[in-house]
Amino acid sequence: MNGEVKDFSQVINSLFENISPQKAKEALTINNEWNKVLGRIKSAANPYEGRNIADHTRVIDLKNGLLLVESDHPGWTSLVQMHKNFILKGIKMDFPYLKINNIAIYLKGKYDPLKENGAESYSVEKMKNVIEEKAKKDEEEIENYMKRAGNNKKTEKKAPKSLPPEIEAIFNNILGNQPLTN
């Protein structure tokens, strides 16, 4: 420090001067809406499933219609994916002005699709591009697999309608000389 003494109110004001009240209100609204919609999720096995999901996930960002969510365990990530359409419909019904079109979820500390080469700052646009590229690669892999599977079916040999005589003799011997029938 340079030895200058600052009034505590100046320190607090300087900390909060870049935070817009409108953005803070919007962030609180999004977070509350996330929890509210998740609270409506119930399953036969667990009537508190949505509340449990809310306890293990958090909204990170909303930009260009993409809601970025972080979870603390792969199981919660899977549950959010499973209920994704329900969550999107709930948010759109209650707050259509938020214009949320999609949800991207990642596991805390394991995979951050927004970070590039360890960079600390990231944008939703970068994340969207990463997800789209991964989806495209996955689609190509599925297509290639389906092509290979289609080729294998054409080259498969059909099973013979009868057994070779030596194998049929073994079976006849086991069955007490009763001939095998199809």
Side-chain angles (χ1 to χ4, degrees):
M1 298 212 172
N2 58 9
E4 180 183 332
V5 177
K6 291 186 178 182
D7 185 25
F8 186 69
S9 63
Q10 287 177 325
V11 173
I12 297 297
N13 285 336
S14 67
L15 286 173
F16 291 102
E17 70 184 13
N18 292 329
I19 298 175
S20 135
Q22 179 61 30
K23 292 287 185 189
K25 183 178 177 184
E26 186 177 286
L28 184 60
T29 301
I30 292 168
N31 192 46
N32 288 342
E33 183 59 21
W34 174 257
N35 291 329
K36 181 177 158 188
V37 171
L38 288 178
R40 293 181 198 145
I41 297 172
K42 309 216 181 319
S43 71
N46 183 0
Y48 304 105
E49 184 170 321
R51 288 190 212 161
N52 292 340
I53 295 170
D55 290 342
H56 295 276
T57 60
R58 70 183 182 122
V59 175
I60 301 295
D61 196 7
L62 168 65
K63 193 168 185 178
N64 299 328
L66 183 64
L67 187 65
L68 179 62
V69 178
E70 177 183 75
S71 81
D72 61 10
H73 188 275
W76 302 115
T77 302
S78 297
L79 284 172
V80 170
Q81 290 292 359
M82 186 171 80
H83 297 293
K84 182 177 174 177
N85 289 335
F86 178 87
I87 296 167
L88 283 172
K89 285 179 186 176
I91 292 173
K92 285 179 183 180
M93 280 188 341
D94 293 347
F95 291 95
Y97 67 89
L98 290 177
K99 295 181 173 51
I100 296 174
N101 301 319
N102 205 354
I103 297 173
I105 184 161
Y106 70 94
L107 186 59
K108 181 179 182 177
K110 295 289 182 187
Y111 171 70
D112 188 345
L114 301 179
K115 290 185 180 181
E116 235 176 60
N117 299 326
E120 289 303 315
S121 64
Y122 51 84
S123 71
V124 173
E125 192 61 36
K126 283 183 187 176
M127 190 211 62
K128 184 179 175 184
N129 291 338
V130 168
I131 290 172
E132 286 174 351
E133 287 175 20
K134 176 146 179 38
K136 187 177 177 181
K137 286 179 184 176
D138 289 347
E139 286 175 11
E140 288 172 358
E141 284 182 27
I142 290 170
E143 232 176 80
N144 289 336
Y145 175 79
M146 295 304 286
K147 285 179 185 175
R148 287 192 309 268
N151 289 342
N152 287 344
K153 286 183 180 178
K154 293 176 186 172
T155 58
E156 281 180 1
K157 293 181 179 177
K158 292 185 180 180
K161 292 186 180 183
S162 63
L163 294 173
E166 56 274 0
I167 294 179
E168 190 172 345
I170 294 170
F171 279 117
N172 286 339
N173 190 23
I174 293 171
L175 296 172
N177 293 329
Q178 296 175 358
L180 293 176
T181 57
N182 288 339

